[in-house]
Amino acid sequence: MDITDNFLFQYQHQSRSLPPSQIISHSQNENLNTSQFSLLNSTNSPWSCSSSSPDPLRILQIYLGKGKVATANLPKEAKTHKIDLILVQEPYSKGAKILGIPKSWNQWLSENGKAGKISLPSANTPIFLGIKENAVAIKIQTSIGPLSIISGYSSPYSDIQNTIQDISQFITSLTQESVLIGAYMNAHSTLWGYPNDSLRGNAMEDFISSTNLHLLNVKDGGPTFQQRNAKGWPDLPLSIG
C-alpha cells in the first residue's frame, strides 16, 4: 500500500479576517490513504497566482513514499483541490523524472530524486533557481512580487544538517525576497505538534530561529501524517517575508 501524507495551504491576498497560519478546514482523503489536508490562510504571506488574478496560490506539499499509485493520483487531487504548485517528497521517479503525471506539468527533482517541485499550467511560468542534493528551488511571479519556493527532504536515517545546509544556501542567495519552504524533515518538536523533542527537532528549531523563518504549522492543528497506529507532523511549511 502506498503511504502518503500531505499539507495543503493557500495564500489569499484579499482576506484579512484570520491570523497568520490559522487552519480553516481539514479533510480526510481516502484516495491517498488517510492523508490529511490542512488548508491555511496566512495574512503574512499574501500571494496570489498572478498580478491580474485575486485567486489564492494553492500549494500542496505531499510525501509520496515512492508510491506509484499515490504519484499517479496527483492529477485527480490537483483537479479536486484546484492546485497550482505541488511540493513532493520521495515521488515515484526514474531517471530524474517523476512518473505518472501529465507532460504539460513542469517538474524538477533534487540531485538525489527525493525532493521535487511540480508546476501546473494554472500557475505563472516558474523560473528554475537550481537543485542541490536534498533540495530544489524555483521562483514564481505573484500579485505582490516574486516568490521563491523551496522543496526539501531529509531521511530519518541521514544527517539532517545536510538538508538544512542545502536549504540555507538557497535562502542566503535570496536576500530581501519572499521565500516559501516545504520540507519533510522527519524531525520531532513540540513546537509543531509532537509530544516530544528529538535531536533532529532541536536542529530544525535552531535553524528556524537563526534564519528568522516563520513556522506555518499550527501546534494544535492535527497531524499531517496519520495511519491506523501512527501519526506525526513531519511536514514543515516555513516562510520568510
Side-chain angles (χ1 to χ4, degrees):
M1 177 180 291
D2 292 331
I3 299 174
T4 68
D5 58 283
N6 50 63
F7 199 89
L8 174 66
F9 45 105
Q10 71 174 0
Y11 299 99
Q12 175 69 56
H13 76 275
Q14 290 183 322
S15 174
R16 291 293 182 270
S17 60
L18 295 174
S21 305
Q22 179 172 333
I23 290 180
I24 58 177
S25 71
H26 287 86
S27 65
Q28 291 291 330
N29 190 314
E30 296 179 356
N31 292 328
L32 289 178
N33 299 321
T34 67
S35 302
Q36 182 160 319
F37 288 94
S38 297
L39 183 62
L40 302 186
N41 183 305
S42 173
T43 57
N44 277 355
S45 306
W47 303 302
S48 65
C49 295
S50 70
S51 58
S52 60
S53 172
D55 295 329
L57 178 63
R58 295 173 64 86
I59 303 170
L60 172 66
Q61 179 186 344
I62 183 167
Y63 174 81
L64 295 168
K66 301 179 182 178
K68 183 177 181 179
V69 174
T71 304
N73 271 335
L74 285 179
K76 180 180 179 181
E77 299 307 315
K79 181 178 180 180
T80 299
H81 299 282
K82 300 179 180 179
I83 302 300
D84 302 300
L85 296 167
I86 306 175
L87 313 185
V88 295
Q89 285 86 36
E90 292 221 292
Y92 179 66
S93 64
K94 184 178 181 180
K97 287 287 185 180
I98 301 172
L99 303 181
I101 64 173
K103 293 182 179 179
S104 61
W105 291 10
N106 293 315
Q107 59 166 289
W108 303 266
L109 278 175
S110 61
E111 292 176 1
N112 62 13
K114 295 184 177 181
K117 195 79 59 62
I118 299 172
S119 172
L120 279 66
S122 58
N124 281 351
T125 302
I127 299 172
F128 173 63
L129 296 179
I131 61 172
K132 298 186 182 297
E133 181 67 20
N134 307 284
V136 58
I138 64 170
K139 188 191 300 287
I140 189 169
Q141 186 65 34
T142 75
S143 61
I144 60 169
L147 170 67
S148 296
I149 306 173
I150 302 169
S151 175
Y153 175 77
S154 179
S155 163
Y157 309 107
S158 66
D159 186 348
I160 195 172
Q161 291 295 342
N162 294 333
T163 302
I164 288 176
Q165 182 177 359
D166 286 349
I167 295 173
S168 180
Q169 288 175 353
F170 276 130
I171 292 174
T172 301
S173 68
L174 298 168
T175 55
Q176 306 301 316
E177 292 189 21
S178 295
V179 180
L180 176 67
I181 303 164
Y184 193 95
M185 301 300 287
N186 287 292
H188 290 208
S189 170
T190 55
L191 289 181
W192 46 85
Y194 283 100
N196 63 293
D197 295 324
S198 67
L199 292 177
R200 294 175 64 90
N202 292 338
M204 276 305 298
E205 288 179 17
D206 291 342
F207 173 58
I208 291 169
S209 176
S210 64
T211 319
N212 294 319
L213 291 169
H214 177 62
L215 179 66
L216 299 181
N217 294 64
V218 178
K219 184 175 180 180
D220 300 322
T224 62
F225 168 80
Q226 189 166 328
Q227 288 185 288
R228 290 185 181 89
N229 300 315
K231 63 180 180 180
W233 293 258
D235 304 271
L236 291 179
L238 307 159
S239 70
I240 300 175

